[in-house]
């Protein structure tokens, strides 16, 4: 029972309170770039969840069994980038061969997130907060879920905006950034949440 | 020394391991991609203009191979590219007629247009057209900021000495970029074989349209072209005559009857039809097809073209099953007759 509550706390924390996009400001590039259509936003979100979860696992292992014994934690960033890039490449090839259907829905987004800062961010945060192996994976997974939720909300708003009459100077990116700011303000409300 | 060497070795080793794994994986999980896609991409012009309605040249190549899209949709590549794609795909090519842009306004050019005020704003048509109904008197016509010329990727639109826009038919690929760029929708894509165009888009009533046109060539919706069109291809809606190009046979009669010269006949000077007696079998098809009843003759006897009536539309040439009809310059038939 205690574990279930712990997982739930973790979910709420990563999805709402410490949302990667809106309170940590990581992964803003896909957040603004791939949020024009709900379909592609969903595909991107799924790919991010997937990559964040497995990247958390692998970077934790790399850190624990290679960097710490060698006493070279200062190589974290560069080692993690290397790991994530190789991992994403590998996963892309793997699912292209084994699950063409999954590849069609996820595949095109995978190369986009090789060097995404949200993915690198989750790896660094996991280590920084001293999370255990399982907790790291869960943190990555729920971080991805939080990213997807926000991305989908943004896509929904922007699909509506397509039909709205906006002044020319506001069209496109300016209004998207204003909305992003409003959403971040709204998510700020979660930070007072008491999970005691 | 070691403080530099150790991390370098560690990272290098890590990278090497990943590299080996990836190299192995790329062999192990290699997926055969249809080589035809790459071949087609190399044949396509890489303009990525989107004229084919697919996302870029690569998207089109993919659509041809994966979902069987037609091989002749590439405007810039034209027939040549269509042939090569057809060869790669092993399909027979059904020739598609090339579209070209036609500008339905001949205002007379910048120098001859009547202006309400001098426009000194942002130099694009869209903003010029929105300020007080545009700078020119005709609220339907060209505003001369040349967005269409800027939009053209293929150097097919030019401005002549009068400030008038000219479409270069050889360079135009029918991609439609200028059509989208024009805020007044003056440009239309028309099959290249169609040679008669109404060069006016004014929906104003006759007198106003004529007065505001710097070239005096506005359509005044008099209806003469509608009455004289042998194929009922012209209709007048909102004070403007419009040609239905699917019905138009290029006869050019409308251009000759138009009192304001709003209709341009690009087949001028027109040739006349001439029937070779030795080839004609008297099937009467040409006589039936002729829109102006210029051909006469008995069944199974060689037919004759009345040169006075012939308008040079070439309908009979296409209809003749024996290729017995030739288009010749007006003066030459006499010589042939003499010979």
């Amino acid at each position: 029972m205690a574990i279930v509550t712990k997982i739930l706390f973790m979910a709420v924390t990563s999805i709402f309170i410490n949302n990667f996009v809106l309170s940590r400001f990581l992964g803003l590039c896909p957040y603004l770039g791939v949020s024009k259509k709900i379909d592609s936003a969903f595909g991107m979100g799924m790919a991010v969840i997937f990559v964040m979860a497995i990247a958390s696992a692998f970077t934790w292992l790399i850190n624990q069994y290679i960097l710490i014994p060698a006493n070279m934690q200062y190589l974290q960033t560069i080692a993690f980038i290397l790991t994530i890039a190789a991992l994403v490449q590998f996963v892309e090839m793997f699912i292209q061969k084994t699950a063409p259907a999954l590849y069609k829905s996820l595949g095109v987004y995978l190369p986009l997130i090789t060097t995404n800062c949200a993915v690198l961010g989750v790896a660094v945060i996991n280590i920084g907060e001293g999370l255990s192996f399982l907790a790291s994976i869960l943190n990555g997974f729920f971080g991805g879920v939080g990213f997807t939720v926000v991305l989908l909300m943004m896509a929904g708003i922007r699909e509506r905006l397509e039909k709205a009459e906006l002044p020319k100077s506001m069209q496109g990116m300016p209004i998207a950034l204003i909305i992003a700011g409003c959403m971040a303000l709204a998510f700020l409300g979660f930070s007072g949440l008491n999970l005691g | 020394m070691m403080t530099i060497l150790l991390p370098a070795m560690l990272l290098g080793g890590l990278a090497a391991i990943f590299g080996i794994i990836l190299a192995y994986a790329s062999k192990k999980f290699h997926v055969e991609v249809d080589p035809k896609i790459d071949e087609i991409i190399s044949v396509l012009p890489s303009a990525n203009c989107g004229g084919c309605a697919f996302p870029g040249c690569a998207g089109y190549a993919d659509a041809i191979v994966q979902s069987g899209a037609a091989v002749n949709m590439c405007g810039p590549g034209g027939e040549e590219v269509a042939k090569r794609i057809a060869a790669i795909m092993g399909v027979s090519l059904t020739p598609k007629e090339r579209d070209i842009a036609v500008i339905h306004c001949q205002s007379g050019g910048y120098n001859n247009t009547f202006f309400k005020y001098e426009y000194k704003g942002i130099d694009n048509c869209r903003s010029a057209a929105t300020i007080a109904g545009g700078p020119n008197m005709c609220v339907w016509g060209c505003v001369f900021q040349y967005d269409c010329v800027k939009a053209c990727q293929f150097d097919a639109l030019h401005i002549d000495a009068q400030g008038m826009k000219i479409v270069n038919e050889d360079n135009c690929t029918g991609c439609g970029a200028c059509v989208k760029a024009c805020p007044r929708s003056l440009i239309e894509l028309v099959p290249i074989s169609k040679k008669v165009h109404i060069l006016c888009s004014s929906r104003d009533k006759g007198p106003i349209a004529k007065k505001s046109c710097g070239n005096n060539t506005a359509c005044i919706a008099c209806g003469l072209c509608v009455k004289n069109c042998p194929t009922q291809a012209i209709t007048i809606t909102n004070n403007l005559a419009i040609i239905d190009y699917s019905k138009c046979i290029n006869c050019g009669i409308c251009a000759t009857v138009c009192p304001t010269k709003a209709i341009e006949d690009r087949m001028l000077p027109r040739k006349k039809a001439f029937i070779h007696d030795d080839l004609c079998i008297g099937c009467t098809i040409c006589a039936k097809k002729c829109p102006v009843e210029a051909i006469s003759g008995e069944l199974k006897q060689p037919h004759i073209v009345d040169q006075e009536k012939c308008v040079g539309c070439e309908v009979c040439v296409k209809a003749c099953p024996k290729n017995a009809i030739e288009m010749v310059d007006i003066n030459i038939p006499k010589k042939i007759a003499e010979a």
Side-chain angles (χ1 to χ4, degrees):
Chain A
M1 196 58 208
I3 291 178
V4 178
T5 17
K6 221 176 171 185
I7 291 175
L8 271 178
F9 280 176
M10 201 149 194
V12 173
T13 315
S14 330
I15 296 175
F16 296 109
I17 302 173
N18 284 331
N19 187 288
F20 266 87
V21 180
L22 294 179
S23 51
R24 286 186 163 136
F25 304 112
L26 293 171
L28 286 177
C29 171
Y31 173 61
L32 292 170
V34 201
S35 61
K36 283 203 180 108
K37 273 192 186 152
I38 289 186
D39 290 348
S40 49
F42 187 75
M44 181 74 183
M46 289 302 128
V48 169
I49 295 178
F50 187 61
V51 172
M52 275 172 86
I54 55 168
S56 297
F58 274 84
T59 50
W60 193 89
L61 290 175
I62 293 271
N63 186 62
Q64 191 69 23
Y65 295 110
I66 295 179
L67 295 183
I68 292 182
N71 207 11
M72 280 181 211
Q73 283 102 317
Y74 59 89
L75 284 177
Q76 236 178 38
T77 312
I78 192 163
F80 285 181
I81 290 177
L82 195 66
T83 315
I84 293 167
L87 188 66
V88 172
Q89 281 292 313
F90 181 81
V91 168
E92 192 190 350
M93 284 185 224
F94 183 74
I95 63 171
Q96 190 175 12
K97 182 75 178 178
T98 52
L102 186 66
Y103 180 75
K104 269 215 156 151
S105 55
L106 284 189
V108 286
Y109 304 104
L110 278 177
L112 288 178
I113 39 181
T114 0
T115 48
N116 188 305
C117 57
V119 181
L120 181 63
V122 78
V124 175
I125 288 167
N126 286 338
I127 308 301
E129 291 186 358
L131 297 178
S132 70
F133 182 62
L134 268 178
S136 295
I137 297 177
L138 282 176
N139 190 32
F141 177 77
F142 288 124
V145 172
F147 176 86
T148 309
V149 167
V150 174
L151 192 67
L152 281 176
M153 289 187 340
M154 186 68 169
I157 295 173
R158 285 182 81 176
E159 277 196 355
R160 293 259 176 134
L161 272 182
E162 285 281 299
K163 297 186 181 72
E165 278 186 35
L166 292 170
K168 180 133 198 189
S169 55
M170 277 291 162
Q171 279 167 17
M173 220 21 105
I175 194 73
L177 284 168
I178 290 175
I179 289 165
C182 293
M183 284 172 75
L185 278 180
F187 266 68
L188 200 63
F190 288 116
S191 63
L193 212 59
N194 189 359
L195 293 175
Chain B
M1 187 61 196
M2 283 312 261
T3 44
I4 299 172
L5 210 58
L6 265 181
M9 276 168 62
L10 185 88
L11 271 183
L14 214 53
I17 293 169
F18 286 142
I20 290 164
I21 294 175
L22 282 182
Y24 175 72
S26 72
K27 277 266 182 286
K28 175 93 182 164
F29 300 121
H30 182 67
V31 175
E32 292 291 335
V33 178
D34 202 324
K36 282 188 279 208
I37 296 181
D38 282 336
E39 274 181 61
I40 293 175
I41 290 175
S42 65
V43 168
L44 288 169
S46 302
N48 286 322
C49 66
C52 53
F54 291 101
C57 293
Y60 178 43
D62 196 52
I64 294 174
V65 177
Q66 304 286 353
S67 44
V71 297
N72 53 8
M73 317 262 281
C74 182
E79 213 176 318
E80 179 58 29
V81 163
K83 265 186 207 158
R84 290 169 68 181
I85 299 175
I88 293 168
M89 293 300 293
V91 295
S92 60
L93 175 67
T94 42
K96 174 186 174 254
E97 203 180 349
R98 193 154 70 90
D99 279 350
I100 57 157
V102 169
I103 304 168
H104 291 289
C105 176
Q106 57 174 351
S107 67
Y110 185 83
N111 300 343
N112 293 330
T113 301
F114 299 143
F115 288 103
K116 281 184 283 200
Y117 60 86
E118 198 181 344
Y119 178 74
K120 290 271 186 191
I122 308 163
D123 63 342
N124 66 46
C125 297
R126 213 161 280 276
S127 53
T130 45
I131 295 173
N136 45 346
M137 292 293 281
C138 179
V139 296
W140 305 97
C142 176
V143 293
F144 298 105
Q145 299 300 317
Y146 305 117
D147 275 7
C148 50
V149 179
K150 289 170 214 156
C152 184
Q153 286 185 42
F154 302 101
D155 197 30
L157 277 162
H158 296 280
I159 304 162
D160 70 1
Q162 299 297 310
M164 181 121 164
K165 304 168 305 304
I166 305 290
V167 178
N168 180 332
E169 295 190 1
D170 294 331
N171 285 359
C172 180
T173 62
C175 72
C178 54
V179 176
K180 280 180 214 139
C182 182
R184 292 200 153 164
S185 307
L186 297 175
I187 310 179
E188 187 188 2
L189 294 179
V190 177
I192 193 166
S193 67
K194 302 295 175 187
K195 298 289 185 193
V196 182
H197 307 293
I198 298 177
L199 298 186
C200 178
S201 297
S202 172
R203 272 85 166 169
D204 278 332
K205 286 215 167 66
I208 304 171
K210 198 167 182 195
K211 232 182 262 172
S212 50
C213 181
N215 209 27
N216 256 323
T217 52
C219 172
I220 53 171
C222 64
L224 272 175
C225 51
V226 179
K227 277 182 210 131
N228 284 289
C229 180
T231 56
Q232 282 86 44
I234 308 181
T235 48
I236 290 184
T237 40
N238 295 331
N239 301 314
L240 178 66
I242 289 168
I243 295 179
D244 178 350
Y245 287 104
S246 63
K247 292 182 186 164
C248 176
I249 54 167
N250 282 342
C251 70
I253 296 174
C254 52
T256 54
V257 297
C258 180
T260 59
K261 302 275 169 275
I263 307 181
E264 187 195 41
D265 180 357
R266 292 187 181 165
M267 278 173 85
L268 290 176
R270 279 178 181 260
K271 295 173 175 178
K272 302 267 177 180
F274 176 77
I275 301 176
H276 290 279
D277 291 353
D278 45 339
L279 292 173
C280 179
I281 53 167
C283 67
T284 75
I285 291 176
C286 54
K288 282 178 195 148
K289 290 273 182 183
C290 180
V292 289
E293 290 171 2
I295 304 179
S296 55
E298 295 296 312
L299 186 66
K300 303 209 170 161
Q301 295 296 319
H303 283 43
I304 329 165
V305 181
D306 183 340
Q307 301 290 344
E308 294 295 310
K309 286 186 186 168
C310 178
V311 290
C313 66
E314 301 186 11
V315 167
C316 51
V317 177
K318 284 171 209 143
C320 182
K322 289 287 169 188
N323 296 329
I325 310 179
E326 194 188 342
M327 299 307 292
V328 284
D329 275 334
I330 304 165
N331 300 324
I332 297 171
K334 286 176 195 160
K335 283 180 194 162
I336 294 174
E338 281 163 17

